[in-house]
Amino acid sequence: MNSRQPTCLSFSSLIVFLYYSLVIFLTTNATISSSYHHGNETDHLALLSFKSLITLDPYGALTSWNTSFHFCDWNGVTCGKRHKRVTALRLDSQGLEGSLSPHVGNLSFLRELWLRNNSFQKTIPHELGRLFRLRVIRLDSNKFSGVIPANLSGCLNLETFVLGSNELVGSIPKYISLLPKLTILVMQYNRLEGGLPSFLGNITSLEALSLVENPVGGSIPDTFGQLNNLKEIYLGGCNLTGTIPLSIYNLSLLTILTLPGNQLTGSLPPAIGTMLPHLTELQLRENQLIGLLPPSISNCSKLTILEMGNNSFSGKLTIDFSKLRDIYYISLHYNQFGTAEMDEMKFIDSLNNCSKLEFLELSYCNFEGAIPRSIGNLSYQLSFLNLQGNKLYGNLPSSIGNLVGLTDLSLGFNRLTGNIPSTIGMLQNLQSGWLNENQFSGSIPDAIGNLSGISVLVLSSNKLEGVIPSSLGNCYRIQALFLDNNRLSGKIPKQILQLPSLSILLALSQNNLSGSLPSEVGDLKMLSSLHLSNNYLSGNIPSSLSGCNSLSYLYINDNLFHGTLPPSLSSMRGLVELDVSHNNLSGQIPRFLDGFSLQALNLSFNDFEGEVPSKGVFANASDFSITGNTKLCGGLLELGLPKCKGKNKHKRRIPVFVIVLMIVSMLLVVSCIVYVLFKKKRKDQPSQSTTNEQFMKVSFDQLLKATDGFSEANLIGKGGSSSVYKGVLEHDDRFVAVKVLHLQIQGAYKNFIRECEAWRRIRHRNLLKIITSCSSVDFQGNDFKALVYEFMPNGSLQDWLHSKVHASRLSILQRINVLIDIASALDYLHNFCVPAIIHCDLKPSNILLDDDMLAHVGDFGLARFLGTDSYLNSSSVVKGTIGYAPPEYGLGSEMSSSGDIYSFGILLLEVMTGKNPTHDIFNEGLSLHKFVSIALVNHAVTDVTDNDAISLQSTEEDVKKVEECLASTLKIGLSCSTDSPTQRMKIENVVRKLHHIKDALQNIQGYQ
C-alpha cells in the first residue's frame, strides 16, 4: 500500500494540474476573444464614422453598410481571414462627396486605402499616421486641400503614396524621406511649391516619382543621383530652372525621363545613350536646351518615344535611328538642326528600319535640302508625317505613294517644286493633306480623286495651273478644300459643289476661274465659309445660293458678277461676314439686311442705289463699307451722303385705297431686291481677329427680370460653379439660358473668362452659341458674372439618355446623327481653330439639343488653347469628369486632343448602351469599355445596346444589317476610348466612319 501511495498522489496532482490548466486556457481564450471582439468593434465604429461624413453617394456605394451585413461583407471592405479586421478599403470612382473621417486612423490592421476618383474635400486627416501597417495610399483625383499631413512618418511600411490631382498646397514634407519602403511617390496636378527638396534623394527605395504640373520651381537637386532604384521620373510643367544635373545620367535603371514644359537650360551629355541604355521614353520638349542632339541616343535600343520639340537644339541630326527598332513616336519640331550640308536629310535613310514608327514630327527644324526617295521606305505603320516649315526644295518623290498608312501629311511652307506626283492618290487612308505655301506647278493630278477618305486638302499658295479636276467629286468625306492663290482656270466643276460633306471651307479665291457660279452651289447646305474672291466669275449670283443655310462667311468680291442680289438670300440669317465688293451689282439695299447679325459687310465699288439703312449692321459706320456706289443716299450722317429726295407736300391728297395699293406694291418690290453691305474691302480670307465683335449688352437688372428674380421655378441646371436659369429677354421676347457664375467657388472666374475666350474664337453650327455676357454688380454690390446662351428646347443628351422626362427615346439613327454632330464639333475645335481648342469636359450633360434635334457642344469652362501661353492654360488641376476623363490625365500627361477623343469614345458607348461609365455594374475590373468589348467578342451586340434604340421590326436580313451598323458604331467607341492615346482613332476618321454608318442605316427599310 505504501509503495503505491506516491503514485496515487502523483495522479491526483496531475488531475488538479489539468483542471487548473483548463480553467486558465478557457479564461485566456475568453480574454483573447473579448480582445478580438473589441478590435472588431473599433473597426466597425471607424467605418460608421467614415460613412457619416459622406454627404453624397450617387451610386449607392455605401448602401450595404448597414446592420444587415457584417462590416467585412460591406462593399469596398476587405478583412483578414483570421482576425476579421479591416485590411483594405477600396472605393475608387464611386462619386462620393464629403470629407475623410479621422477615425480611419483607428483601422489599425489597414494595409491598403483606395479612394481615388471621388470628390473628397477638406484636409487629409493626420490620424492616417497611426496606420503603421499601411502599404498603399491612393487618394488621387479628389478635392483634398490644405497641406500634406506632416506626421505620416508612422506609416513605415508605406510603398505606394499617390495624392495626385487634388488641391494640395505647401511644400513636400521632409518625413517622406524617412519612409524606408517607399517605391512610388505621385503628387502631380496640385499646387505644391517650395522647390524640389534635396532630401528626396534619400529615398533610395524609390522607383517612380511624379510631380507633374506643380509650381514647385527651383532646380533639380543633384542628390537625385542617389536614387539608384529609380526607373521613372515625371517632372513636366514644374517651372524648373537651371540645368539637368549630371548625376541624373548615372541612374542606369531609368526607363522614363520626362521633363517637358519647364525652363531647363544647358546641353545634353554626349554619352547620354550609353549612360541611360534602358530608356523607353525621353521627353524634354518645351525647354531651353541647346547644343547637339547626341548621336549616342542611338544606343537606347528600347526607346519608343523621343520628344525634343520646342528647344534650341542645333547642328546636324546624326542619330542612327536604325538601331531604335521599337520607336514609334519621334517629335523634334521647332529646333535649329539645319546646316545646309548636302546630306542634311540623310538621317531619313536610317529611319527605314523603324518598322513600328507611327508618328514623325520634324516641322520648323530649319532643315534644308531635297526630300530623299527613301522617304517612301518608311514604316507602313506611319500615320503622321510633318515636314512643314523647313527649307526643303526639289520635287516631291513619287515614292511618297508607298506610305499607305498615312492619315496626316504636312509638307507646307517649304520650297518644293515640280508637279504633285500622281502617286499621291495611293494614300487612300489619308485624312488631311497640307501641301500649301510651296511652288508646285502643273495641273492637279486627276488621281487626287482617289483620296476618298480625306477630310482636309490644302493646296493653297502654289503655282498650280489648269482646271480643277472633277475627280475631286469622289472625295465624298472632305470637309475643307483649299485651292486658293494658284493659277487655276476654267469653270468651277459642279462635282465639288455636290459634296454634302463640305462643311468647313471651300476656298477658290485668287485664281483665274471664269464662267458663272453653278446653281449646284446651293447643295452645300452644311458649308460654313465660301471664298470665291479675285477670280473672273460672271453672270448673276444664283438664287440657289440661299440653299447654303449654314453659311457664316461669304466672299465673292473682285469678280464680274452683275444684276441684283437674289431675294432668296433673305433666308441666310446666319451670315456673319459678307463681301460682294468690286463687282457690277446694282439695285437697292434690302431692308432685311438690317435684321441680320452681320459683323462685317462690304458693298464697295458696285452700282447700288437708293437709301442706305441705318439699323443693324448699318448703325455703326465701322462695320460696313459702301465706297464707290455713287447713287446711294441717306444713312448715317458720318457717311456724308446726300439726303434722299422727299415727296412734294403740295400735291393733291392721294385716296386711301391708292396708298394701300402703293404700299403693297412697294413691299413686293422690296421682297425681290437683295442688299449686301460690308465693312471694308477683303482680298481673300476672313480676318481671324474677333476683338471688336459687337453683341448686345445686358445688365444684372435685365437678367433679374428675365428670370423672374432667378427663381427656383426657372432653374434648369446646376453645376459645381454655376447655375443655369431659363429666361425671356424683354426686348425681343426670345427664350435664353442664363448661366450665373458662383464667383465664391475657386476657379469660377477663370472658367468665365475661358468660356468667353472660347466663344470669341469659335463659330460652328454644332457649338452652343453665347448670345452675350454680363459682367456687373448685383443689388447687394457683389460681383456678378453671367453668360447668356441660346435656349435649347430639347434639353441635354443626358436627359434623353437617363431621365424619365422624355416619353419617347432616341432611335438608332437619331443617336448616330447626334454622334456625328458632336464629332464634327470636335473636328472643328481640334483641326480648324487657331489655336486648336481642347474641350476637356465632354459628357452628355454638356451636349444640348435644339428644336431640330441638332446637337450642340457647350460648356467651355475647362477648355484649353493649344500652343498659347495664355494664363487660361495655367490651371493647377483639370480633371474633367470621372468616367469621361482619359487615364493619362491621372498619370500626369498634359491635356491634349486625344483626351477629348477618349471622352468622346466613352460618350459614344454611353449613347449606344444607355449606361453611363460610372454605372454600379461597373466594378471589380469591369468597365463600360470592357463591357462592350466582351459583347463584341461574343457577337452579342444587341444585348448591350439600349433597348429603346432598337425598334426596327423587319426582315431577318435587315435586322442583320442593323446589327452590323451597331457593331461598327461600338467599335468606333472602343477605338476612341483605348487607354493608349496614340492608338485612339483620329476624329476626322470618326466623322467619316459615322457618316458611312448613317448612310448604311438609311438604306435599310424602315430607316428612310
Side-chain angles (χ1 to χ4, degrees):
M1 293 287 294
N2 290 336
S3 64
R4 296 173 59 88
Q5 188 174 3
T7 303
C8 292
L9 287 171
S10 177
F11 180 75
S12 300
S13 298
L14 178 61
I15 295 298
V16 171
F17 173 79
L18 291 174
Y19 171 79
Y20 281 107
S21 296
L22 180 61
V23 170
I24 291 170
F25 173 79
L26 293 174
T27 304
T28 304
N29 191 53
T31 302
I32 293 172
S33 297
S34 175
S35 174
Y36 283 149
H37 176 75
H38 175 72
N40 288 346
E41 185 60 24
T42 300
D43 287 3
H44 185 210
L45 293 174
L47 293 173
L48 290 178
S49 177
F50 176 92
K51 181 178 180 180
S52 69
L53 295 184
I54 300 300
T55 58
L56 180 63
D57 180 10
Y59 311 124
L62 306 182
T63 303
S64 63
W65 288 35
N66 56 55
T67 56
S68 300
F69 303 94
H70 188 277
F71 66 79
C72 288
D73 296 323
W74 290 356
N75 178 48
V77 177
T78 301
C79 291
K81 294 181 180 179
R82 181 180 178 189
H83 302 310
K84 296 297 182 183
R85 300 296 300 275
V86 177
T87 58
L89 185 58
R90 298 185 181 93
L91 290 167
D92 288 353
S93 304
Q94 298 297 322
L96 298 174
E97 293 187 16
S99 57
L100 181 57
S101 170
H103 290 283
V104 171
N106 293 333
L107 300 173
S108 55
F109 278 71
L110 196 66
R111 289 177 173 81
E112 296 184 13
L113 179 61
W114 296 72
L115 300 176
R116 60 191 301 270
N117 282 333
N118 285 290
S119 295
F120 284 96
Q121 301 174 356
K122 299 184 179 178
T123 58
I124 300 172
H126 64 82
E127 285 81 0
L128 294 182
R130 302 174 187 167
L131 304 176
F132 68 92
R133 291 183 172 90
L134 202 58
R135 297 174 184 171
V136 177
I137 297 179
R138 292 296 304 265
L139 303 180
D140 44 314
S141 298
N142 280 285
K143 298 179 181 178
F144 287 112
S145 57
V147 299
I148 301 171
N151 65 336
L152 296 188
S153 56
C155 304
L156 294 176
N157 288 293
L158 195 61
E159 299 172 0
T160 300
F161 193 18
V162 182
L163 301 178
S165 297
N166 280 287
E167 300 170 8
L168 300 172
V169 297
S171 58
I172 301 171
K174 188 171 184 178
Y175 72 81
I176 287 179
S177 65
L178 304 177
L179 301 175
K181 298 182 180 180
L182 192 63
T183 58
I184 298 175
L185 178 60
V186 178
M187 296 181 176
Q188 80 265 2
Y189 291 104
N190 281 287
R191 303 175 194 165
L192 302 178
E193 299 177 319
L196 293 174
S198 60
F199 58 70
L200 288 177
N202 297 330
I203 315 175
T204 56
S205 57
L206 201 62
E207 295 180 6
L209 172 64
S210 177
L211 290 166
V212 172
E213 293 296 329
N214 279 283
V216 290
S219 60
I220 301 174
D222 189 65
T223 55
F224 273 31
Q226 301 168 192
L227 302 174
N228 292 324
N229 290 303
L230 199 61
K231 297 177 181 178
E232 300 177 14
I233 300 179
Y234 304 89
L235 297 176
C238 288
N239 199 28
L240 300 175
T241 57
T243 60
I244 303 172
L246 290 176
S247 61
I248 289 288
Y249 304 108
N250 294 326
L251 303 177
S252 59
L253 296 181
L254 266 185
T255 59
I256 297 176
L257 177 59
T258 70
L259 305 173
N262 288 292
Q263 302 169 44
L264 298 172
T265 57
S267 59
L268 300 180
I272 181 175
T274 305
M275 303 166 80
L276 301 176
H278 301 297
L279 279 181
T280 60
E281 297 181 22
L282 179 58
Q283 296 175 302
L284 301 177
R285 69 178 186 276
E286 297 170 20
N287 279 287
Q288 300 169 21
L289 300 172
I290 61 174
L292 291 172
L293 200 56
S296 68
I297 290 176
S298 308
N299 295 327
C300 301
S301 60
K302 299 177 182 178
L303 202 63
T304 61
I305 297 176
L306 178 63
E307 278 193 89
M308 313 297 279
N310 288 92
N311 279 286
S312 296
F313 290 114
S314 59
K316 192 173 182 179
L317 183 59
T318 56
I319 296 175
D320 183 1
F321 291 102
S322 65
K323 297 180 180 180
L324 308 181
R325 298 298 183 97
D326 292 329
I327 200 159
Y328 70 88
Y329 191 101
I330 299 175
S331 179
L332 307 178
H333 60 294
Y334 285 99
N335 279 289
Q336 297 295 320
F337 293 117
T339 59
E341 295 183 18
M342 290 296 294
D343 61 345
E344 189 165 279
M345 301 298 291
K346 185 70 174 176
F347 70 91
I348 294 289
D349 295 347
S350 70
L351 286 166
N352 295 165
N353 290 334
C354 302
S355 60
K356 298 180 181 179
L357 188 62
E358 298 178 12
F359 188 101
L360 182 58
E361 166 64 276
L362 300 174
S363 61
Y364 297 98
C365 285
N366 201 36
F367 289 126
E368 186 172 352
I371 300 176
R373 290 185 178 183
S374 61
I375 194 81
N377 297 329
L378 295 180
S379 167
Y380 288 138
Q381 306 295 323
L382 189 67
S383 63
F384 184 97
L385 175 60
N386 191 347
L387 298 174
Q388 179 171 297
N390 287 289
K391 300 175 183 176
L392 303 177
Y393 53 75
N395 293 342
L396 176 61
S398 59
S399 61
I400 195 75
N402 297 339
L403 303 179
V404 294
L406 277 183
T407 59
D408 297 88
L409 173 63
S410 296
L411 301 173
F413 297 94
N414 279 289
R415 304 169 184 173
L416 299 173
T417 57
N419 294 341
I420 297 174
S422 60
T423 53
I424 201 168
M426 298 168 62
L427 306 179
Q428 295 191 20
N429 288 309
L430 200 64
Q431 296 168 19
S432 68
W434 301 75
L435 280 68
N436 54 303
E437 301 289 341
N438 280 285
Q439 299 176 39
F440 287 115
S441 57
S443 60
I444 300 173
D446 200 57
I448 209 161
N450 294 334
L451 304 178
S452 58
I454 198 161
S455 295
V456 180
L457 179 59
V458 186
L459 303 179
S460 308
S461 300
N462 281 286
K463 299 178 180 179
L464 297 171
E465 300 174 339
V467 299
I468 300 173
S470 60
S471 63
L472 280 170
N474 298 327
C475 301
Y476 61 95
R477 297 302 182 198
I478 197 163
Q479 298 180 49
L481 177 60
F482 297 76
L483 302 178
D484 52 302
N485 196 19
N486 279 287
R487 300 171 181 176
L488 300 171
S489 58
K491 296 183 178 181
I492 299 174
K494 297 177 181 179
Q495 288 84 352
I496 66 171
L497 302 179
Q498 294 173 320
L499 286 168
S501 59
L502 271 174
S503 57
I504 306 297
L505 175 68
L506 174 58
L508 305 177
S509 300
Q510 293 185 335
N511 280 289
N512 299 318
L513 300 174
S514 59
S516 61
L517 179 59
S519 60
E520 285 79 4
V521 68
D523 294 337
L524 299 174
K525 299 185 183 303
M526 303 291 291
L527 190 64
S528 178
S529 297
L530 178 60
H531 299 187
L532 301 175
S533 58
N534 291 90
N535 279 289
Y536 297 97
L537 300 173
S538 59
N540 291 319
I541 297 172
S543 60
S544 61
L545 183 61
S546 62
C548 304
N549 48 29
S550 297
L551 210 58
S552 297
Y553 302 93
L554 176 59
Y555 304 95
I556 57 175
N557 53 288
D558 292 272
N559 277 288
L560 303 173
F561 289 115
H562 58 77
T564 62
L565 292 170
S568 59
L569 296 189
S570 61
S571 65
M572 300 176 67
R573 302 187 65 84
L575 281 176
V576 175
E577 296 187 6
L578 175 62
D579 192 341
V580 297
S581 62
H582 290 269
N583 279 288
N584 298 316
L585 299 172
S586 59
Q588 294 185 326
I589 301 175
R591 293 291 175 182
F592 65 73
L593 277 181
D594 60 18
F596 282 14
S597 299
L598 287 166
Q599 297 170 7
L601 178 63
N602 196 343
L603 293 170
S604 302
F605 298 99
N606 280 287
D607 196 24
F608 291 110
E609 61 184 51
E611 185 175 11
V612 177
S614 56
K615 296 180 180 179
V617 69
F618 301 101
N620 190 334
S622 63
D623 289 345
F624 70 99
S625 175
I626 55 172
T627 304
N629 291 279
T630 59
K631 301 176 183 177
L632 293 174
C633 62
L636 300 175
L637 290 177
E638 53 260 51
L639 297 177
L641 296 176
K643 291 183 178 180
C644 297
K645 296 179 180 180
K647 293 183 173 63
N648 192 332
K649 297 181 181 179
H650 302 290
K651 286 188 176 180
R652 183 168 51 90
R653 174 175 290 182
I654 302 174
V656 174
F657 79 93
V658 175
I659 294 176
V660 171
L661 288 174
M662 290 175 63
I663 292 174
V664 171
S665 299
M666 288 179 66
L667 287 176
L668 289 174
V669 171
V670 170
S671 68
C672 295
I673 300 176
V674 178
Y675 311 80
V676 181
L677 297 172
F678 204 65
K679 181 179 182 180
K680 62 180 180 179
K681 179 180 178 182
R682 304 255 179 160
K683 286 290 183 185
D684 185 18
Q685 306 221 3
S687 170
Q688 295 294 327
S689 174
T690 52
T691 55
N692 294 323
E693 292 182 84
Q694 299 296 318
F695 54 96
M696 68 177 185
K697 302 196 182 301
V698 294
S699 65
F700 170 78
D701 292 336
Q702 288 174 305
L703 293 183
L704 191 69
K705 187 173 183 180
T707 58
D708 194 19
F710 302 110
S711 68
E712 288 291 325
N714 285 327
L715 183 65
I716 57 176
K718 194 168 186 178
S721 60
S722 63
S723 297
V724 182
Y725 298 86
K726 181 180 179 180
V728 181
L729 294 179
E730 185 178 29
H731 70 282
D732 59 4
D733 292 329
R734 63 169 155 171
F735 284 104
V736 293
V738 183
K739 180 177 181 179
V740 179
L741 278 296
H742 303 158
L743 295 178
Q744 71 275 15
I745 303 295
Q746 188 172 11
Y749 176 73
K750 185 175 284 189
N751 287 357
F752 170 78
I753 298 299
R754 186 182 288 113
E755 197 147 8
C756 289
E757 179 67 10
W759 167 76
R760 198 176 69 81
R761 297 172 184 266
I762 59 179
R763 280 178 179 78
H764 192 274
R765 66 194 296 266
N766 296 121
L767 296 170
L768 188 62
K769 180 182 178 182
I770 296 180
I771 297 172
T772 186
S773 61
C774 176
S775 184
S776 183
V777 295
D778 62 17
F779 56 86
Q780 295 177 334
N782 299 316
D783 285 339
F784 174 84
K785 298 195 182 301
L787 299 164
V788 183
Y789 294 91
E790 55 183 341
F791 181 68
M792 295 285 110
N794 273 315
S796 73
L797 182 58
Q798 174 82 11
D799 297 334
W800 283 88
L801 294 177
H802 305 299
S803 171
K804 299 186 183 299
V805 172
H806 299 284
S808 61
R809 302 294 286 275
L810 298 171
S811 68
I812 295 177
L813 192 55
Q814 285 178 311
R815 294 176 196 233
I816 298 298
N817 280 327
V818 166
L819 292 171
I820 289 173
D821 292 342
I822 300 168
S824 298
L826 278 187
D827 188 20
Y828 171 78
L829 293 173
H830 293 174
N831 298 319
F832 297 98
C833 286
V834 180
I837 296 177
I838 309 302
H839 187 276
C840 295
D841 198 19
L842 200 66
K843 56 185 177 181
S845 59
N846 287 339
I847 309 299
L848 301 173
L849 303 171
D850 64 15
D851 277 320
D852 299 320
M853 294 300 288
L854 185 75
H856 301 258
V857 178
D859 196 345
F860 283 78
L862 296 180
R864 288 292 177 272
F865 307 102
L866 292 189
T868 71
D869 296 326
S870 170
Y871 83 103
L872 295 176
N873 288 343
S874 62
S875 174
S876 59
V877 177
V878 176
K879 301 188 292 279
T881 300
I882 293 170
Y884 301 94
E888 66 267 21
Y889 287 5
L891 298 174
S893 295
E894 297 178 354
M895 308 302 136
S896 67
S897 57
S898 63
D900 276 358
I901 301 299
Y902 178 90
S903 302
F904 174 81
I906 295 297
L907 185 148
L908 182 150
L909 297 180
E910 180 175 357
V911 167
M912 300 308 295
T913 65
K915 290 180 172 57
N916 63 45
T918 52
H919 193 283
D920 31 353
I921 71 167
F922 301 133
N923 53 41
E924 298 181 358
L926 181 65
S927 63
L928 176 56
H929 181 99
K930 191 171 183 180
F931 174 71
V932 174
S933 181
I934 292 171
L936 282 175
V937 170
N938 294 321
H939 305 288
V941 173
T942 55
D943 291 345
V944 297
T945 306
D946 190 353
N947 290 332
D948 290 312
I950 305 175
S951 58
L952 179 67
Q953 300 294 329
S954 188
T955 66
E956 182 177 346
E957 182 182 356
D958 284 344
V959 170
K960 184 177 180 181
K961 290 179 180 178
V962 172
E963 290 179 359
E964 290 174 355
C965 289
L966 292 175
S968 297
T969 306
L970 293 174
K971 286 177 182 177
I972 294 172
L974 292 177
S975 178
C976 290
S977 59
T978 186
D979 283 347
S980 173
T982 60
Q983 294 180 5
R984 293 172 193 155
M985 187 179 292
K986 299 285 187 182
I987 192 62
E988 308 95 304
N989 206 20
V990 170
V991 175
R992 180 174 62 84
K993 287 183 178 290
L994 286 174
H995 272 293
H996 182 72
I997 292 169
K998 177 183 176 181
D999 294 344
L1001 277 173
Q1002 289 178 325
N1003 288 329
I1004 299 173
Q1005 186 177 0
Y1007 280 91
Q1008 299 297 331

